[in-house]
Amino acid sequence: MRRLLAAAAAALSAAAFVVLPGHASAAPSPLPDFDFSACPAPPANADPGTWRCEAFVSQGVLTIGGREIPLGEMRLTFSEGKVAGKYAQVFGELRHDPARIRGTLGATMQLKYGGYSDFLSNDERRGELDLYAVLRHPLLPKGCTVGTLDAPLHSVVKDDPAVPFEVISQNPTTVKFGVVDTQLAFPRTTGCGRLAQVADHLLGLPSPSGANTFKQVTYVQFKPL
């Protein structure tokens, strides 16, 4: 086993899986295309005239320890309104294409929805979202992830002072803002088979809360339902 790990580590490091520091991706151009096709319908008992869909288009950057991974574009939709006079929300969809991990030959990371979200902002945070990350590489087995649907990563995002809230358009309502999570914790990989220790070592996992950063520059457009 030790010999296998040593050989695998050498192959991954030299050929394809070395994670090198990089720089954050640029924000998207000042008005991306918004897609409302995944907007969930209001519940049957929704208060009429109170529901709207929000379509997010974000550029994200994930830093694990000292390793920076530009995530590229992420799209998210959800609907919100009132039921019996109380706030309610329904999650729609998270879409994220696999993002290359810089300095590799084919290694990618793709974020998936982890089954929980709360986008009702307050003085403490802008929102919460459960995620897990799928890792893909020719030397890794299918099902290799950081976090899982049953044990997801829990991200609590706060406003990023570097990207203040801005109203881009009033008709349709479109806004821009930045969010950041500096408390996100990363466990060891799951489902990576014999190369789990290698993947953990090269990605610096586990990585505790306070050692990582998840940043997004986000455009949001609203559509009445």
Side-chain angles (χ1 to χ4, degrees):
M1 180 64 177
R2 184 174 299 173
R3 183 177 299 173
L4 172 64
L5 287 173
L12 288 173
S13 297
F17 206 68
V18 177
V19 180
L20 298 177
H23 297 286
S25 294
S29 54
L31 204 58
D33 293 328
F34 294 93
D35 183 1
F36 292 92
S37 62
C39 291
N45 58 342
D47 294 354
T50 66
W51 281 75
R52 66 183 184 181
C53 181
E54 299 191 21
F56 288 61
V57 182
S58 302
Q59 290 282 332
V61 178
L62 180 63
T63 303
I64 304 175
R67 299 174 175 86
E68 189 173 270
I69 305 172
L71 297 172
E73 183 179 273
M74 295 175 286
R75 290 179 174 263
L76 183 149
T77 54
F78 79 98
S79 297
E80 64 178 358
K82 291 186 177 181
V83 173
K86 296 183 178 180
Y87 178 82
Q89 54 188 297
V90 181
F91 186 81
E93 181 181 70
L94 171 66
R95 283 184 285 171
H96 177 231
D97 291 333
R100 286 188 176 274
I101 301 174
R102 286 179 172 176
T104 70
L105 298 175
T108 64
M109 173 181 286
Q110 183 180 27
L111 297 184
K112 299 281 190 176
Y113 179 55
Y116 172 81
S117 61
D118 182 2
F119 299 111
L120 181 60
S121 302
N122 57 36
D123 292 339
E124 299 296 323
R125 85 293 186 274
R126 183 164 287 275
E128 302 182 25
L129 182 67
D130 279 359
L131 303 158
Y132 64 98
V134 176
L135 299 177
R136 294 188 179 93
H137 185 273
L139 297 180
L140 291 174
K142 292 183 179 180
C144 178
T145 65
V146 182
T148 66
L149 186 59
D150 293 330
L153 314 173
H154 183 64
S155 178
V156 179
V157 295
K158 299 183 179 182
D159 289 327
D160 184 354
V163 188
F165 186 90
E166 178 183 358
V167 177
I168 302 295
S169 170
Q170 294 283 2
N171 185 25
T173 303
T174 307
V175 300
K176 174 187 175 183
F177 56 84
V179 293
V180 59
D181 179 1
T182 59
Q183 300 303 311
L184 186 60
F186 289 90
R188 297 184 186 278
T189 55
T190 298
C192 298
R194 295 182 177 183
L195 298 182
Q197 293 183 38
V198 178
D200 288 342
H201 175 72
L202 293 174
L203 287 173
L205 303 176
S207 188
S209 175
N212 317 298
T213 305
F214 181 32
K215 285 189 174 186
Q216 298 177 72
V217 176
T218 301
Y219 290 81
V220 184
Q221 193 167 93
F222 303 86
K223 178 183 178 181
L225 295 176

